[in-house]
Amino acid sequence: MIMEQQEIIALRETVEKTSLRHIAFIMDGNGRWATRQNLPREAGHRAGADNLKSIVRLCGDIGIHAVTVYAFSTENWKRPALEVNAIMQLLDRFIAEAKASNDENGIRYVFLGDKSGLKPALAAKCTELEQLTKDNHSLLNIALNYGGRAELVHACRQLAERGGEITEADLSAALYTGHCADPDLIVRTAGEYRLSNFLLWQAAYAELYFTDVLWPDFHFADLRAAVEEFSHRKRRFGGV
Ligand code: IPE
Ligand code: IPE
Ligand code: MG
């Protein structure tokens, strides 16, 4: 335990020396994690949701106060209803726990995506959690019924309704992430090398980090490996 505290402090010092302020996670591999243990896929999602809580806590401990996670994509509705329902139930429970622990954890929750595609009761709970936590200091964006293309279309429609000149800043502001800066680092677990429609606009200059580790197995040492890798990247943003 003491060892882990020291490791956390050391990693926080590494973070301070970098431009790393916002990490986004594509939490992939829950299904494979379950299958490997002869468990139903739903058990993988449960383990994944538990791990999300612990990774968000660790991010705060190392001084990362903006985290975005990909929880459910606009394409994930293609999955069997049983699995979709299990994920929605887990989200429901996650929201209830977040609400109950609001006094301790100081996290502001924002849901990215189209709430109108969710069951009205769940959508209402999302909005309620956003309202309840809106003045908290650390940010957790949860991409839920989120697709990068759908987000861009949604933003373009808003801007078209408004009319007039459209700048990059206008488009950024009209996205679901209009309240925060772009991610500096995008981590994808489970060995897939793609974005799967995640943060297409916001990823323009993000550093990308891929690991074979499955999301429920992604722990402190894996987070440290990603952060250390980031600390060695040279971000040029098109310059020299
Ligand atoms: C990620 O895990 C969670 C969601 C997409 C909801 P997966 O369920 O995609 O896990 P794999 O990729 O099948 O292992
Ligand atoms: C991306 O994972 C979506 C989430 C992690 C929520 P998928 O498992 O849906 O992505 P693909 O199908 O492998 O591209
Ligand atoms: Mg997957």
Side-chain angles (χ1 to χ4, degrees), residues 168-181:
E168 288 191 11
D170 292 328
L171 188 48
S172 285
L175 298 174
Y176 293 122
T177 50
H179 57 284
C180 65

Side-chain angles (χ1 to χ4, degrees), residues 26-29 32 70-73 75-76 79 143 188 192 194-196:
I26 301 177
M27 309 184 288
D28 199 13
R32 276 164 279 178
Y70 204 2
F72 193 87
S73 76
E75 287 73 36
N76 288 146
R79 296 184 179 206
R188 182 168 188 151
E192 311 295 349
R194 55 178 171 260
L195 289 175
S196 299

